[in-house]
Amino acid sequence: MTRIDAKFEDLRARGKKAFVSYVMAGDPDYDRSLEIVRGLPAAGVDIIELGLPFTDPMADGPTIQLAGQRALEAGMTLARTLEMVRAFRAEDDTTPIVLMGYYNPIYSMGVEKFLAEAKDAGIDGLIVVDLPPEEDIELCLPAQDAGLNFIRLATPTTDDKRLPRVVQNTSGFVYYVSITGITGSAEANATDVSPEVARIQKASGLPVIVGFGVNTPEKARAIAEVADGVVIGSAIVNRIANGDSAEDVLAFVKSLADGAHSA
């Protein structure tokens, strides 16, 4: 059982929904990023989704793209991202961390080396947005063998024919992208999301977390009411981009977590 599995088991036992927060590793720089990440659990975050900076983030909107650029300009790399996770784990050995990004940096490091380093650092799961199920042999299956959850994205265009293939080797949870398009481009609607969540839950037997288009405590609650939890990224990253202090960013995160947990 991974930390992710244990977290969902605990939330179910308490009748709670999960709040997942996304932040870009190294944004705006290593020290401030680590300060924010360390504060997320106390702000109510159940699972931390840690973005891996990449030069060509094709699935991300301007907010996340700019966060990645800031991190890269500040010297963030895959190795330093894992270093950050190790620093976090020195103080927190229970909060799950999912590394979200693209395959190129992992491929460049070498899959075997990356998986060993990620496991040692304390990564619990991976979301690699540009590796489809047809490429499971590349990273998904080796990651599962190494004891990491491999989390897949499902979207409004993932039809009943495609869905079984998408969830076949997925573990931990399924990330449902509530809108078509890039991050931060539209707003999620609970009425539209609800039947899709039920369909994915039935096909996968896994918790379904909904992301994209959620940016307020009220929306977090509305989405969490029809799903197993909600993930918010762009709204948090915007606060970092605006130069908010770590204290202010974490206060905002707590308001979002309180919204999701009130569902």
Side-chain angles (χ1 to χ4, degrees):
M1 179 180 287
T2 66
R3 292 184 185 93
I4 296 171
D5 300 326
K7 175 59 70 174
F8 279 109
E9 188 174 271
D10 174 65
L11 289 167
R12 279 192 297 268
R14 295 189 289 117
K16 292 289 187 180
K17 301 301 181 71
F19 178 67
V20 183
S21 69
Y22 171 97
V23 292
M24 178 67 70
D27 176 35
D29 57 53
Y30 181 93
D31 290 337
R32 281 181 284 180
S33 181
L34 178 58
E35 181 183 3
I36 291 169
V37 171
R38 280 176 165 162
L40 292 174
V45 173
D46 297 301
I47 299 172
I48 297 170
E49 198 176 291
L50 192 61
L52 175 62
F54 181 51
T55 54
D56 189 23
M58 61 185 181
D60 295 306
T63 297
I64 304 300
Q65 287 185 17
L66 290 170
Q69 288 178 18
R70 289 191 298 270
L72 290 170
E73 288 168 2
M76 206 62 180
T77 62
L78 173 53
R80 289 210 79 198
T81 299
L82 295 178
E83 179 186 324
M84 177 178 288
V85 175
R86 287 190 179 91
F88 175 86
R89 285 282 174 237
E91 299 180 359
D92 185 320
D93 195 42
T94 58
T95 304
I97 296 179
V98 175
L99 189 65
M100 182 173 187
Y102 298 82
Y103 185 45
N104 184 278
I106 296 169
Y107 178 81
S108 296
M109 177 179 279
V111 168
E112 186 175 345
K113 179 180 179 181
F114 165 74
L115 291 174
E117 295 266 349
K119 183 70 174 177
D120 180 70
I123 295 290
D124 303 292
L126 304 174
I127 300 175
V128 182
V129 299
D130 55 346
L131 274 183
E134 287 75 15
E135 305 295 336
D136 275 356
I137 195 169
E138 285 283 330
L139 181 63
C140 173
L141 297 179
Q144 307 255 39
D145 289 343
L148 300 175
N149 290 127
F150 200 89
I151 297 147
R152 193 77 71 186
L153 303 177
T155 74
T157 60
T158 306
D159 60 21
D160 288 339
K161 181 179 180 181
R162 178 65 174 168
L163 184 58
R165 184 66 182 269
V166 168
V167 302
Q168 182 177 10
N169 292 316
T170 300
S171 62
F173 61 90
V174 179
Y175 185 137
Y176 178 63
V177 177
S178 63
I179 56 173
T180 55
I182 54 176
T183 56
S185 61
E187 294 187 1
N189 183 293
T191 303
D192 296 334
V193 165
S194 181
E196 291 300 297
V197 168
R199 182 171 70 97
I200 296 165
Q201 287 170 332
K202 182 178 179 181
S204 67
L206 293 169
V208 177
I209 304 299
V210 176
F212 286 47
V214 186
N215 51 26
T216 67
E218 295 75 21
K219 290 174 187 171
R221 174 175 180 155
I223 295 298
E225 284 178 344
V226 301
D228 296 296
V230 60
V231 54
I232 298 181
S234 292
I236 299 169
V237 173
N238 271 328
R239 299 294 179 114
I240 298 171
N242 290 338
D244 287 17
S245 67
E247 183 179 359
D248 287 343
V249 171
L250 294 169
F252 176 62
V253 171
K254 186 178 186 305
S255 74
L256 300 172
D258 289 346
H261 291 149
S262 66

